[in-house]
Amino acid sequence: MPTQYPGHIVKVGETDVAVVKALKARLNADLGIGSDPSLRLDETDGNYGPKMRQVVKLFQARNVDPKGRPLKQDGEVGAITWAVLFGQQAAQNQAQAIDPLLAELIKVAQTEEANKVREQPRNSNGGPAVDAYLASVGLGTGFSWCCAFTYWCFERAASNLGRRNPMVKTGGCLKHWQAAPGNGAKLIAAGAALADPGLLRPGMLFIMDHGKGLGHTGLIESLAGGLLTTIEGNTDGSGTREGGGVYRLTRKVGEINKGYIDYAGVR
């Protein structure tokens, strides 16, 4: 029976009989419900119906993700729930960028995170490093700088490799989303990535839309089982869009509500 994540959310109406049967067998074993006829799932039946949805919700209520956070109790098996059921090795895991520029981009961002860049003074949207990020997109001190951080990292990475920087020169997250295809980048909508996290790769940029023209962005360092390890500017340990430094965070794919920008292969 299959144990690798099938690349889409498994839910009521699933047509892949083998996937449903594998899930039922794993749920019965994990929850220890084999002797409870009200919960035990028929492992010979390939139908994902209301009873199976109930059992999946029970599993989600009793378990947490690898970071200790509660699973979303929706009765659907996405990448995170699948990884908790079958192990991280069974979900899409990506630790390295394939594209040379994006691999260098990650290295540059990792150095900034290791340097513990912080606003100086606190809550100023300024400081030596922050001002350099903002200047790279033509802005002065005092502006939100998450997008400027990604551009500065792209600029430094491209310079290190002696090539052109393909990223749109902007300090606006949502403006970047709109303009990126004009520079050759590929957009991946949030819904598509949630259904299949295997679409995502290290080095991609995520975009969050907070409404009223406000957004937030950062880059994917690695991903495993529906969890993204990111490096972001203008944030903090809480994941806010107005934090005071460069941080490495863990986000669920479901937290990203706009989508992802992929510059892989763009020259």
Side-chain angles (χ1 to χ4, degrees):
M1 285 189 177
T3 59
Q4 287 298 119
Y5 183 62
H8 62 272
I9 296 174
V10 186
K11 56 187 178 180
V12 172
E14 172 63 42
T15 58
D16 190 325
V17 172
V19 166
V20 174
K21 289 181 177 179
L23 278 171
K24 286 184 174 181
R26 187 63 182 171
L27 287 163
N28 281 339
D30 191 279
L31 291 171
I33 55 178
S35 61
D36 185 344
S38 67
L39 291 176
R40 185 183 180 280
L41 299 170
D42 182 358
E43 298 173 20
T44 66
D45 179 8
N47 177 55
Y48 194 132
K51 182 178 178 180
M52 184 170 176
R53 182 173 184 272
Q54 176 190 359
V55 172
V56 170
K57 291 178 72 173
L58 176 63
F59 174 83
Q60 291 168 329
R62 292 182 177 179
N63 289 273
V64 296
D65 70 22
K67 295 295 181 178
R69 298 177 297 190
L71 296 177
K72 183 178 180 181
Q73 297 175 40
D74 57 5
E76 300 178 353
V77 183
I80 296 176
T81 297
W82 187 281
V84 176
L85 271 166
F86 292 101
Q88 286 292 325
Q89 75 284 352
Q92 289 98 338
N93 300 315
Q94 298 284 340
Q96 296 180 329
I98 298 174
D99 182 272
L101 176 61
L102 300 188
E104 186 66 20
L105 171 72
I106 292 172
K107 290 180 182 178
V108 170
Q110 287 171 333
T111 298
E112 297 304 286
E113 190 278 332
N115 288 338
K116 298 188 182 301
V117 171
R118 300 293 185 266
E119 294 177 358
Q120 299 176 24
R122 292 179 62 183
N123 303 318
S124 66
N125 280 340
V130 173
D131 288 349
Y133 304 151
L134 288 166
S136 72
V137 294
L139 293 174
T141 189
F143 289 89
S144 297
W145 51 276
C146 59
C147 192
F149 168 70
T150 60
Y151 182 83
W152 183 92
C153 290
F154 255 106
E155 191 76 357
R156 183 62 60 88
S159 176
N160 290 347
L161 297 179
R163 52 159 295 178
R164 182 184 74 88
N165 176 9
M167 181 177 161
V168 177
K169 186 175 182 177
T170 179
C173 302
L174 301 183
K175 181 178 180 181
H176 185 202
W177 175 263
Q178 295 168 352
N183 274 28
K186 177 184 177 182
L187 300 184
I188 300 174
L194 182 61
D196 182 8
L199 296 172
L200 305 179
R201 295 289 185 274
M204 290 184 180
L205 305 180
F206 70 81
I207 301 290
M208 301 172 75
D209 187 345
H210 293 283
K212 298 182 180 180
L214 302 176
H216 183 63
T217 190
L219 65 91
I220 299 175
E221 181 183 25
S222 63
L223 57 146
L227 296 178
L228 308 175
T229 299
T230 64
I231 300 177
E232 311 170 22
N234 208 173
T235 190
D236 58 27
S238 72
T240 178
R241 61 169 296 276
E242 280 295 350
V246 176
Y247 285 80
R248 176 180 284 108
L249 301 177
T250 299
R251 294 186 182 273
K252 294 180 179 180
V253 173
E255 292 179 45
I256 310 304
N257 67 349
K258 189 68 174 177
Y260 305 82
I261 301 175
D262 183 10
Y263 280 98
V266 180
R267 303 296 300 180

